[in-house]
Every structure is written in structure tokens, then in C-alpha cells.
Amino acid sequence: MVKRYLSQVSLDDAVSKVLSSFDEPKSRETVSLKNSCGRVLREPVYAGYPVPCVNTSAMDGIAVKSAETVGASEQNPVALGKTLRVNTGNFVPPEFDSVVMIEDTWEKNGVYSVRKAARPWQNVRPAGEDIKKGELIAPAGHRMRAFDTGAFGTYGIKELCVRKLSAGLVPTGSELVEIGNVPGPGQVVESNIPMASVWFSERKVDARCYPITPDDPEMIKKAVEKAAVENDIVIVSAGSSAGTKDFTAGAISELGELIFHGIAIMPGKPMILGKVMGKPVIGLPGYPISAQVVLREIVGPLLDKWGFTGPLSGKIDVELSSDITSNVGYDEFVLLSVAEKDGRYLAAQQSRGAGVQMASVRSNAFLRVPSRLEGYPAGETVSVTLTQGKSYADGSLLVTGMADPALGVLSGILRKSGVVLHIGSSGNMGGVIALKKDVCHCAPMHIPSPDGEYNIEQVKRYLPETKVSLLCIAGISYGIASRNNLSLKDVAKHSFVNQPPGSEPRILFDRAISEEKISSELVEGYDKVLNSETAVAMSVLNGDCDAAFVSYQSAKVYGLDFSPVSYARYEFAVRDSGLSDERIKKLVEAVSSDEFKSALKNSGGYDVSVSGKMRSV
């Protein structure tokens, strides 16, 4: 029997329900002052003594009796009787009621004189001026900041009574394995609960992780019940969808109340909200990005209300580099890479798959597309939420085009100089179009022409009026991948699998066999075509054929033998107007560096003799 979501509420309704359905827990604990940053006071805090405890000097000068200075003027200096030399912060004895700055006094034979009358309590900090004994330092509900601790310590506070909240985190699923284990067929690494634990800890919530519970309704029910007894809030990971082994909603219904099952957001639709023993129980979707959205958008507001807030998130207006489509009726959250370019901020969308966690790692912002809209067109200015500081975007480069592992090496080198490389994999022509629209800083590409040249033809075709420079990253090695060390000359004797006509590997292979005088008719499987380099490499690995023409990196990933045939010239296309950008200058330096060339050489599959060479289009 196929399960259906019991209800599907809007995002705003979901937040309203979670905020109105639960009372704030009244738990408390005592923490030391040095461990109080970010914690919220459960009780008001009062000063243990006055500060300052005695009258002190606010200046370097002379403590005097103000009455003795009456009548002093430039024409009538007054010599003083008993005085006391004091420095800032020194105790001012009771017999003195004023301090004259040292530069306003004259001394002769140990006797001080003044030429201006001093007011009573001039330059004197009276006892209790900062705070009096028993005076309120901070009320209940105050969030402790780092600089607060200095003042609290000054006022005699060593420990604080703060709000306490515990979250019980329950992973479910027979397919799950702990972090550190390599998953086998049908297995998945359980990363949602460790991620949620860190997220709660960032908000000063005590996160308790429970063992993985298999897909058994009774065992899940017992795990949820135990977590509800022992904690203030319960998070159940997975089992919230509508599959045959999704038992979380049933367990909550049996233990308490199922408030809703299903929310009109993407990703995150299968979310569950329930109440057990008066406490919130939230069912997270199994997909990691979906789980993140539910924690941030639903659980976050509840914790904020209870005083357990997270890092502040800044907003910024950005220009979208491409169309963003969305389903009407769903609030959709899109991860973005944001970078400054020519005084404006550009945003490129990351992959929108709910299970693609690298999209989260690579992004530094997200956009909420309201449920009433079908999306936003390219070039639209929208407000997004930053997940890194604005300075991160200021130091970023948007790189859109053909991705390659060499860019990962380059990213690590650039990060040392404060430049963040945001790599958008849109293919060769996607990079050319992004450069044409001026929505990226540079476009990596390796596009062969019939004459054997690389990249220039397409750049000239699409940016005929724009001055563009090509910075060579490296030569990418292409050749024959096999399980038994075959070379190009062997392809006529063994089965082969090809890639589509017009694709770069197909162009390079056709050119190579032509130069070797090998007829395509002699290549068994020449007309057998798979649509990607990964697919042909897997075909060789699985024994469906003997050989394929791929890059060295693809052969390496699948443990295949590799015989090099040719190199593709891999270059950054950069508008000349951007060459003065300090980030681009650092990019040029990094590509030309011995560190980069050495790393690629050690990796294998690259010609670094061309790395760093520039040419104009």
C-alpha cells in the first residue's frame, strides 16, 4: 500500500504551528563565566559589590580640597595646603573631593598652586559610579557576549545560571552505516545526525546522538519514546517520506500527536512535526540538503524563540547569472555561489539535487523563491541570505565552464592568498555563454576546432567585439583506457565503445586513428555510442568492451590502464577588462607557480609545460 503525506502545509503555516504548539522548557544549569559566551541567562544577575569600591581618580593629577581653590585665577594663583599626587585609577582619600589635572598645576618647593578653581568631585569617580552593590547587571533572557564577561567578572560574578536545552537525535534506517565506514551496495553513510548535532551545538544546545535504529516500527517507536523522555526536543532522521519503510509518522501518532506530515517546500517536503509528552518531535527527510533546510527554516525559529540562536546571517542583493525555475505552490531554497564583480554581486546556482551535499559545501548563500513565483530570470536582482561573511564574496571568483580536477588543485593554492574559487560545471559552451553575458570572472574550456586549434574559434564566434585573453591551465591527457594495457594501435583488434559525434573525445579519437591510418570500419564498436565519459569508462570496467577513448583522470578514477594519445589545451578565457582585478592577478600567479605545476605533474595526466602561458584572442 502506497503511503501519502497526511497533510501538506505552507512554510509560513509550518513555522506558525511549531512556534505556537510548544512551551519553552524551563531547564537550567550553572556555567562558569569563561564558558558563558552565547548562553542566555535563566535568572537576573546583580552586582556583588560597588564598582569602583572607593573614590578613584579619573586623571593623572593632584587630589585637593575644592574649597581651598576658591578664588584662584590667572591673576590670583592659590597655593594649596595638603595635596596628594595621584594617577588615573588611584584611590582618592575621603579628605579630598577633587582632582586637578597635573598640567593645570604649578609646583614649587613641594607646594602646589592652581590658577583656576576646582569644582567639587571634578575628575573623581565616586564609589559605585559604574554600578552599585545589588544593582542589576543583566535581566533574565540576556545573551552573553564575549565582551560581557569582562564586565561581569569586574562586578564579582564567577558563575551564571543559564537556560539549558537538550536535543535527542535519532537516526533510523537499516541501510545506514556509521561515518568512517565505506558503504557497500545499498548502504548509506549516516551523516544527517552528526550534522544536526554540530548545528545544535553551535546554538549551545546539548545534542545527544542515539544509536542507529533499523527499519522496524516497534524499535523506532521505542527509540523516539526514550529520546522524548530524556530530552526537550527530538529529531528523527529519515523515515519521514511515503515509502514502504517510513515508520516515523506512525510512531509519533502512537506516542502522541501528529501535527502535520508534509510541507510545501523544496527541498524538505517530507518533513514531520509531532508532539510527544508535550515536546516537539521533528522528522527530518533523509536527503542531506532537505534535512538542512528543515533544520534552518523550521527548527531554527523555534530555537530562536527559546533563546538558542545561531550565527547571524547577512542579506545582500545579487544579480542572477542564469534563470532559476521553481514550482508554483512550493517555497524553494536554492544554494548559490556569490562573488563580487565590477562593483556588483553575481550569483550562480549550485546543483539543486536534495542529495548533492557538495552544493552546500561550495555555496556561500541561498535564495528563497516564494511559492507564488515560477522563478526568476537571469539578470534579475534578488535578495539572498549569506552563509559566509560578505568579505568571503568579495574575495571570490566565479569560474563557469568545463570543470576538471586541476581546478581543485588550483583552488587550494588560491585559498592561501585569500581568493576563493567557485567552480560552476556548465560545460565548454556554458562557459563561453557565461563569459559573453559577463556573468563570470573567467571560463575554463578545452574546445577543439577542426584545424587542431583550441578555444579561439568559439571565443571569436561568441565574443567578436570583446578583447579576451586565454590563460593556459595545462594540457589534459587523452588516450586509450583498457583493462589490459591496450594502445591506440590495438583498437582495431579489440571491442571499443565510442562517445557522441562532435564531442571532444570523439573528435580527438577520429583525428588520432586518421593519423595512424586506422579505418573506423575496422574498429569493432565504433558506432556503439554512450553519452558520457563516465559511461564509457564504466563500460570498460564492467567488461562490456575492451577499450574506450577517455581522459587520464577518468581512467584513473576507475582503475583502468591508460595509454596516452594526445593533449587537450585547457585554458581560462578572461575578458581583458578583468585582468587588472587583484583576484585575477593572483589566479595568473597561481597557474604559473611551481607549486601548481608540481602538483599536476605528481597527479599525472597533465602537460604542465604550457601552464601559465597567455595568448590574446
Side-chain angles (χ1 to χ4, degrees), residues 429 432-433 435-437 447 456-466 468 575:
M429 291 312 301
V432 173
I433 298 303
L435 195 70
K436 174 182 173 64
K437 293 181 176 180
I447 311 175
I456 289 179
E457 179 182 339
Q458 296 298 334
V459 171
K460 282 184 174 180
R461 177 180 298 175
Y462 286 90
L463 291 92
E465 306 298 326
T466 305
V468 176
R575 286 173 174 257

Side-chain angles (χ1 to χ4, degrees), residues 218-239:
E218 195 59 32
M219 294 180 70
I220 291 174
K221 177 181 173 182
K222 289 180 179 179
V224 172
E225 184 176 28
K226 177 178 172 61
V229 168
E230 298 176 348
N231 299 277
D232 302 303
I233 184 171
V234 178
I235 302 293
V236 184
S237 178

Side-chain angles (χ1 to χ4, degrees), residues 125-411:
R125 294 189 63 210
E129 178 192 55
D130 189 359
I131 197 166
K132 297 175 176 61
K133 181 179 180 180
E135 187 176 341
L136 179 69
I137 301 173
H142 176 78
R143 175 175 305 283
M144 292 295 295
R145 299 161 295 182
F147 291 163
D148 290 341
T149 60
F152 277 56
T154 299
Y155 306 149
I157 308 302
K158 294 177 62 178
E159 295 180 329
L160 295 167
C161 180
V162 297
R163 295 178 184 175
K164 181 183 179 182
L165 189 71
S166 63
L169 312 181
V170 181
T172 69
S174 299
E175 76 281 9
L176 299 180
V177 295
E178 301 277 0
I179 289 177
N181 295 291
V182 178
Q187 293 184 320
V188 177
V189 173
E190 208 308 280
S191 62
N192 278 354
I193 288 301
M195 174 271 294
S197 175
V198 174
W199 184 81
F200 275 106
S201 297
E202 190 176 43
R203 290 171 169 262
K204 307 301 181 182
V205 177
D206 180 19
R208 300 173 182 171
C209 299
Y210 289 81
I212 293 172
T213 302
D215 291 317
D216 179 278
E218 195 59 32
M219 294 180 70
I220 291 174
K221 177 181 173 182
K222 289 180 179 179
V224 172
E225 184 176 28
K226 177 178 172 61
V229 168
E230 298 176 348
N231 299 277
D232 302 303
I233 184 171
V234 178
I235 302 293
V236 184
S237 178
S240 67
S241 193
T244 58
K245 293 185 178 181
D246 293 320
F247 304 119
T248 302
I252 294 173
S253 295
E254 291 183 31
L255 292 169
E257 175 189 358
L258 185 66
I259 298 175
F260 66 77
H261 183 188
I263 178 173
I265 60 173
M266 295 178 67
K269 184 170 66 174
M271 179 231 167
I272 294 170
L273 177 65
K275 180 187 288 189
V276 175
M277 303 176 196
K279 302 172 183 179
V281 180
I282 291 94
L284 297 182
Y287 281 123
I289 303 300
S290 298
Q292 292 175 21
V293 171
V294 170
L295 285 172
R296 187 185 67 225
E297 301 298 327
I298 305 299
V299 184
L302 179 62
L303 298 187
D304 290 343
K305 179 183 178 183
W306 289 349
F308 295 86
T309 59
L312 296 176
S313 299
K315 292 275 191 178
I316 192 172
D317 289 339
V318 302
E319 178 185 325
L320 297 176
S321 65
S322 62
D323 294 340
I324 291 181
T325 59
S326 183
N327 294 313
V328 172
Y330 290 87
D331 284 276
E332 189 157 1
F333 293 87
V334 182
L335 294 169
L336 304 169
S337 289
V338 173
E340 184 276 334
K341 185 178 189 298
D342 301 328
R344 72 195 202 277
Y345 288 91
L346 296 173
Q349 62 179 308
Q350 290 286 343
S351 169
R352 293 167 72 173
V356 184
Q357 295 190 71
M358 281 306 297
S360 177
V361 174
R362 290 171 176 152
S363 67
N364 62 329
F366 66 86
L367 167 68
R368 176 182 175 180
V369 183
S371 60
R372 69 180 185 278
L373 299 181
E374 293 182 342
Y376 295 103
E380 182 92 351
T381 298
V382 295
S383 179
V384 303
T385 302
L386 293 173
T387 56
Q388 299 270 15
K390 183 171 169 288
S391 60
Y392 190 90
D394 292 334
S396 295
L397 287 174
L398 285 183
V399 175
T400 305
M402 181 61 75
D404 183 87
L407 298 186
V409 175
L410 186 61
S411 178

